[in-house]
Each structure stands twice: as structure tokens, then as C-alpha cells.
């Protein structure tokens, strides 16, 4: 309580400075995502980067904001506009690429004109076409649906978010991810689908909390920090407890894997364990590999849904040590206790399976040395 009282005093004392930082960082998350996607997609196509980014910003302002009484209303610069920002970035970059390749509106300048100036003139007509199309599309959306692009995207994605952000959806996503990982398919196969939902949910929670919503009333449980801090403790399969067990294994190979894997496991990196033991394609570890992370997901979701632990509204980073990440993501000491209990539970889940595997490995090593 002393810590939180001190934190509250610091927040009140430096509120203007902190909110100034918030308004230009997290509160503009969707804008930065739009710029980032446009930038790197343009690099991928080996085309000009500056003009697509400028056009993307213009289209973002057209489609992800409104003008009310002559003033910009930036309601969708934060998490609620994230999906729409991605669509704007993809639309602008792809449309710009097509227009440039087809030389539509191409303005040819003499060779004596500097290349940078020539490139900016080359983009004038494509930029005008793209922003006009964005403006027309925005007008038609308001005419047909009485909604902006972010509002319409939210309506479309609402059933999907609702289907995933519950204990059944989280459990199914966990099982599918772990089964694929066991076959050697990286978890990004599922993460690419879930990541936009997790990030958007986290951003919505953060925005709601900054607006004064109580932690218990935050709208989402499935967020990026929920996944990486509470479910994937030590890496996919929740293998931090397993890494500790390996340090005391009888098998020399398994002890070596434990020594190599324990430090990365503190930061949610467990490839040394997955491929060094191995866990991948090892029938003995299929059940605990799925079961440990599944148990973490169900228990954490139930605790947050029941108000026993705060929901997450801060993103401390996916590779932060879980107990520290639990405190920073929820600002709740009960979350630290929960993570420690989950680590013990994960250890107990892996222990009988490792015991059998360690015995077999150590016997084989003894036979090879005889």
C-alpha cells in the first residue's frame, strides 16, 4: 500500500507532464501503427518511403478522425482505431504502388531536376487520387452506415473479439498454438491472428483506465500482457518451471540443456528447451506442454473475471521476467502471487514426465559410457 500511495502522489504531482507524454504516445498508437506499416511495406516493395507515409497520415486523418464544429476529434487515434489504421496503411501503400507502376498521373521533369524533387512531383497526382478516394469513401460510409471507418470495423470485429475473449476462446487458442508448436510450427502461426486482437484489447483497456474506468470494469481480459506475462511463463508451454527441474536432472544432456535454457527462460525464450531436450515431436511431453499453459490461461482468466486479480492495462514487454511483468501490467501485488503459484503449478505438471524421461536418458548415457 505504501508503494501505491507513493505512486499516486507522484502521478498527481507530475500529472500534466505524464498526460502530455500519454497524449502524444499511447493516445496516438493507431497513428504510429499506420505510419510504421506504411513505412516497412514501402521498403518491402523497394519504392519511395516518404510520400506514401505522408499520404497515409493524410488518409488516416480523413478516415480515423472526424471534424466536429471545425475541430478535429481524435477518438480513434488510440486502441479503438487500431484495426482501421492497419487497413488505411495497407490501402495507401498498395494503391500508391499500383499508381506509380502504371505511371498514372506521372509528371516527367527534366534530368537536371534533383532526384528528390522529381520524386515528390511524381507523387503529386497519385497522392491527390488516393486522398480523394479516401475522402469519398469516408463520405459514403457516413451516408450509408452513419459511421466512420473505425466504428464500422469495430462492428464487424465485435463478434470475433467476443468469441476469443472468454475462457473457452482463450483455451482453444492455447491448445491450437501448443499443438502446432509441438509439431515444430512457430507460435506466430496463431499469434499473427490473435496479436491484433490482443493489442487492440490492451489499448482499449489502457484508454479506459486513463479515462477513469475502474480496473474491475475494464472491458477486456485477453490482452498482450495477459498472454505473455501469465500464460506463457518462460516461453511457449510455460516452461520456466521445467527449466528449473532440468538443473537437477540426472542426465548430463538434460542438465546441460537446463544450464543453457534457464537464463533465456526468465525472459520467455525457450527454444533451447524446445529443441534441446527436445520437447518438439516428443510424445512424452505433448500433454504437459499443452496442459501447463492451458492451466495458466484458465486460472488467470478466472481470477481476473472474478476480480481476484486486476485486469491488465499496461504493456511491460513480452520478455520481462513474469513476476515483475505481473506487477507492472496490473499494478496489483496479488498478480505477483498468482504468477508464483502458476510457476509452481507448471513445475508440478512437468515433474512426473521429466522424471520418466530423465531416467531413460541417464540409463542410455550410462550404457553408452560402459
Amino acid at each position: 500500500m505504501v508503494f501505491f500511495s507513493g505512486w499516486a502522489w507522484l502521478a498527481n504531482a507530475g500529472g500534466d507532464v505524464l498526460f502530455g507524454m500519454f497524449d502524444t504516445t499511447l493516445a496516438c498508437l493507431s497513428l504510429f501503427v499506420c505510419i510504421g506499416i506504411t513505412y516497412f511495406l514501402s521498403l518491402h516493395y523497394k519504392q519511395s518511403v516518404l510520400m506514401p507515409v505522408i499520404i497515409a497520415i493524410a488518409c488516416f486523418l480523413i478516415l480515423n478522425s472526424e471534424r466536429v464544429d471545425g475541430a478535429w476529434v481524435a477518438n480513434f487515434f488510440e486502441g479503438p482505431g487500431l484495426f482501421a489504421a492497419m487497413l488505411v496503411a495497407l490501402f495507401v501503400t498498395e494503391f500508391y504502388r499500383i499508381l506509380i507502376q502504371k505511371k498514372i498521373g506521372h509528371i516527367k521533369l527534366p534530368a537536371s531536376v534533383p532526384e528528390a524533387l522529381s520524386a515528390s512531383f511524381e507523387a503529386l497526382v497519385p497522392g491527390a487520387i488516393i486522398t480523394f478516394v479516401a475522402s469519398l469513401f469516408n463520405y459514403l460510409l457516413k451516408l450509408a452506415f452513419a459511421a466512420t471507418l473505425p466504428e464500422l470495423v469495430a462492428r464487424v470485429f465485435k463478434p470475433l473479439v467476443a468469441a476469443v475473449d472468454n475462457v473457452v476462446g482463450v483455451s482453444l487458442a492455447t491448445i491450437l498454438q501448443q499443438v502446432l508448436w509441438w509439431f515444430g510450427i512457430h507460435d506466430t502461426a496463431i499469434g499473427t491472428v490473435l496479436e491484433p486482437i490482443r493489442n487492440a484489447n490492451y489499448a482499449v483497456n489502457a484508454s479506459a483506465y486513463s479515462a477513469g474506468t475502474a480496473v474491475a470494469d475494464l472491458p477486456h481480459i485477453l490482452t498482450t500482457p495477459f498472454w505473455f506475462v501469465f500464460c506463457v511463463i518462460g516461453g511457449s508451454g510455460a516452461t520456466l518451471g521445467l527449466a528449473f527441474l532440468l538443473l537437477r536432472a540426472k542426465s548430463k544432456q538434460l542438465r546441460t540443456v537446463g544450464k543453457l535454457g534457464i537464463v533465456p527462460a526468465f525472459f520467455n525464450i525457450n527454444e533451447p528447451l524446445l529443441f534441446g531436450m527436445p520437447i518438439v515431436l516428443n510424445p512424452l511431453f505433448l500433454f504437459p506442454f499443452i496442459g501447463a499453459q492451458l492451466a495458466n490461461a484458465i486460472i488467470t482468466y478466472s481470477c481476473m473475471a472474478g476480480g481476484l486479480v486486476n485486469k491488465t492495462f499496461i504493456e511491460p514487454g513480452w520478455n520481462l521476467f513474469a513476476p515483475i511483468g505481473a506487477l507492472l501490467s496490473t499494478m496489483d501485488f496479488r498478480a505477483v502471487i498468482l504468477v508464483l503459484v502458476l510457476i509452481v503449478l507448471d513445475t508440478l505438471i512437468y515433474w512426473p514426465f521429466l522424471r520418466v524421461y530423465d531416467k531413460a536418458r541417464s540409463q542410455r548415457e550410462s550404457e553408452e559410457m560402459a
Side-chain angles (χ1 to χ4, degrees):
M1 293 302 295
V2 175
F3 171 82
F4 288 115
S5 298
W7 186 267
W9 176 86
L10 178 63
N12 289 329
D16 291 339
V17 175
L18 295 175
F19 274 111
M21 294 171 60
F22 174 82
D23 290 339
T24 53
T25 53
L26 185 60
C28 293
L29 175 66
S30 294
L31 175 60
F32 295 141
V33 167
C34 180
I35 293 171
I37 293 175
T38 305
Y39 177 85
F40 285 105
L41 191 55
S42 297
L43 285 181
H44 173 74
Y45 288 135
K46 295 181 174 57
Q47 66 181 15
S48 167
V49 171
L50 179 61
M51 292 311 297
V53 167
I54 292 174
I55 298 169
I57 293 173
C59 291
F60 178 91
L61 293 174
I62 293 169
L63 293 166
N64 265 47
S65 61
E66 295 181 281
R67 289 183 66 84
V68 178
D69 297 329
W72 289 107
V73 179
N75 292 333
F76 299 103
F77 276 38
E78 303 179 46
L82 196 58
F83 287 117
M86 295 176 185
L87 294 177
V88 169
L90 294 174
F91 159 73
V92 169
T93 310
E94 296 292 347
F95 199 2
Y96 181 85
R97 180 175 65 90
I98 292 171
L99 293 176
I100 293 297
Q101 286 181 348
K102 302 294 185 182
K103 295 188 178 297
I104 296 176
H106 178 72
I107 299 175
K108 186 174 179 59
L109 297 177
S112 57
V113 176
E115 184 178 348
L117 183 60
S118 179
S120 63
F121 270 91
E122 182 184 50
L124 281 177
V125 175
I129 293 173
I130 294 170
T131 51
F132 174 77
V133 170
S135 298
L136 179 61
F137 181 65
N138 187 54
Y139 171 77
L140 294 176
L141 281 182
K142 291 181 179 179
L143 194 64
F145 301 101
T148 59
L149 177 62
E151 290 170 334
L152 189 61
V153 170
R155 292 179 193 175
V156 173
F157 277 91
K158 188 175 182 179
L160 176 60
V161 173
V164 177
D165 194 2
N166 58 70
V167 70
V168 176
V170 168
S171 299
L172 291 176
T174 300
I175 292 171
L176 182 56
Q177 173 187 286
Q178 295 313 105
V179 169
L180 291 176
W181 238 134
W182 186 82
F183 280 103
I185 301 172
H186 198 276
D187 61 356
T188 50
I190 297 299
T192 343
V193 179
L194 289 179
E195 187 174 10
I197 296 174
R198 294 192 306 238
N199 287 344
N201 286 355
Y202 145 69
V204 169
N205 276 8
S207 299
Y209 182 79
S210 68
T213 303
V215 177
D217 297 327
L218 294 178
H220 300 293
I221 294 178
L222 175 61
T223 65
T224 302
F226 165 85
W227 190 264
F228 288 107
V229 173
F230 295 94
C231 300
V232 188
I233 303 174
S236 292
T239 54
L240 181 58
L242 175 62
F244 283 118
L245 290 174
L246 288 173
L247 295 176
R248 299 182 61 84
K250 295 179 181 179
S251 165
K252 183 178 180 180
Q253 176 193 336
L254 295 182
R255 282 201 310 274
T256 302
V257 171
K259 292 175 182 177
L260 291 173
I262 186 65
V263 174
F266 278 116
F267 306 101
N268 282 355
I269 299 169
N270 66 344
E271 277 77 2
L273 276 65
L274 295 180
F275 299 101
M277 290 182 56
I279 292 177
V280 170
L281 293 177
N282 188 335
L284 184 61
F285 285 98
L286 176 59
F287 174 79
F289 189 57
I290 296 173
Q293 185 170 315
L294 180 61
N296 290 356
I298 293 174
I299 292 171
T300 303
Y301 198 99
S302 302
C303 288
M304 289 184 176
L308 299 178
V309 175
N310 285 356
K311 298 173 184 176
T312 55
F313 56 93
I314 298 172
E315 166 60 307
W318 68 270
N319 56 353
L320 193 64
F321 184 42
I324 300 174
L327 176 62
L328 295 180
S329 63
T330 63
M331 299 306 293
D332 185 356
F333 278 111
R334 295 173 300 176
V336 179
I337 297 172
L338 173 60
V339 163
L340 295 176
V341 170
L342 293 177
I343 293 173
V344 173
L345 176 62
D346 297 339
T347 305
L348 293 175
I349 290 174
Y350 276 105
W351 179 73
F353 298 90
L354 179 62
R355 187 179 180 186
V356 173
Y357 189 61
D358 184 29
K359 183 178 180 180
R361 293 295 308 180
S362 58
Q363 285 179 349
R364 185 182 305 175
E365 289 173 6
S366 299
E367 292 171 359
E368 289 173 354
M369 292 178 63

